[in-house]
Amino acid sequence: MQIKTLIFAFAAVLMVASCQKGNNDVRQEARESITSTAPNNNIQSAVQSPATPTGPTTTMTFEEDRFNFGTAIEGEKVSHTYTFTNTGDEPLILSNARGSCGCTVPKWPRQPIQPGESSDIVVEFNTKNKVGQRSQKVTITANTNPPESFIYLDGQVEKPAGGQNVQVN
């Protein structure tokens, strides 16, 4: 009985090992395929570059492009609203807004902003595991020249008293 179990376990290990080798081969082939077809072999730019709106450009002006939230306790969520105005002559179209990491999440208007109108971008920063001085950058892509604008959320994140993490739902 034990010999059968031992043989079965050995066979299972061999199968898993051969599957892993096969998966690694497939992954490597996929990497090579993508690398050889990506322009200038630059996978990062091909994957991360949001589409820039085409057509006429306009301008946008933020009331503030940098906000200091002061001090937050690790685990808290910090939020700030950035107000901007379309100061150009064409409708303003925001095609993307992305944080410098997954802990910084912007919410931006999806509809065009008419000349002279204002709107908001709300940025939420989750401080979990982010102790220390922080400067969270949000990149906004729009039909402006240049097509990317930046806003920042700065501050200090401290460990809670007693070193316990704050639980945020």
Side-chain angles (χ1 to χ4, degrees):
M1 195 72 130
Q2 288 180 340
I3 293 175
K4 287 182 182 177
T5 304
L6 185 59
I7 291 171
F8 179 74
F10 181 71
V13 168
L14 284 177
M15 286 175 42
V16 168
S18 67
C19 287
Q20 284 293 4
K21 181 183 182 306
N23 284 343
N24 288 336
D25 293 343
V26 169
R27 287 185 197 119
Q28 183 60 33
E29 286 176 22
R31 280 188 208 102
E32 290 170 3
S33 172
I34 291 170
T35 302
S36 67
T37 59
N40 300 325
N41 290 335
N42 189 346
I43 296 171
Q44 292 290 30
S45 66
V47 172
Q48 293 181 351
S49 296
T52 302
T54 58
T57 60
T58 190
T59 55
M60 65 189 293
T61 304
F62 283 89
E63 287 182 5
E64 62 180 343
D65 61 0
R66 188 173 290 273
F67 176 75
N68 189 314
F69 61 82
T71 302
I73 302 300
E74 179 189 12
E76 294 178 340
K77 291 184 180 179
V78 177
S79 181
H80 185 69
T81 301
Y82 297 84
T83 301
F84 64 92
T85 302
N86 178 352
T87 53
D89 297 325
E90 299 291 333
L92 173 64
I93 301 166
L94 279 63
S95 62
N96 196 17
R98 68 183 186 281
S100 52
C101 70
C103 62
T104 306
V105 179
K107 294 179 184 164
W108 74 94
R110 305 293 203 245
Q111 72 283 357
I113 311 302
Q114 297 305 312
E117 289 185 358
S118 295
S119 191
D120 298 322
I121 296 174
V122 178
V123 177
E124 184 176 88
F125 168 49
N126 184 346
T127 65
K128 183 177 180 183
N129 298 323
K130 304 294 179 192
V131 174
Q133 187 66 38
R134 305 301 302 182
S135 183
Q136 304 304 120
K137 179 169 111 176
V138 174
T139 303
I140 299 146
T141 305
N143 61 329
T144 55
N145 188 13
E148 291 184 334
S149 301
F150 308 98
I151 54 179
Y152 302 87
L153 190 62
D154 301 320
Q156 178 75 25
V157 178
E158 296 180 352
K159 282 242 180 242
Q164 298 295 321
N165 291 340
V166 173
Q167 294 296 321
V168 177
N169 294 327

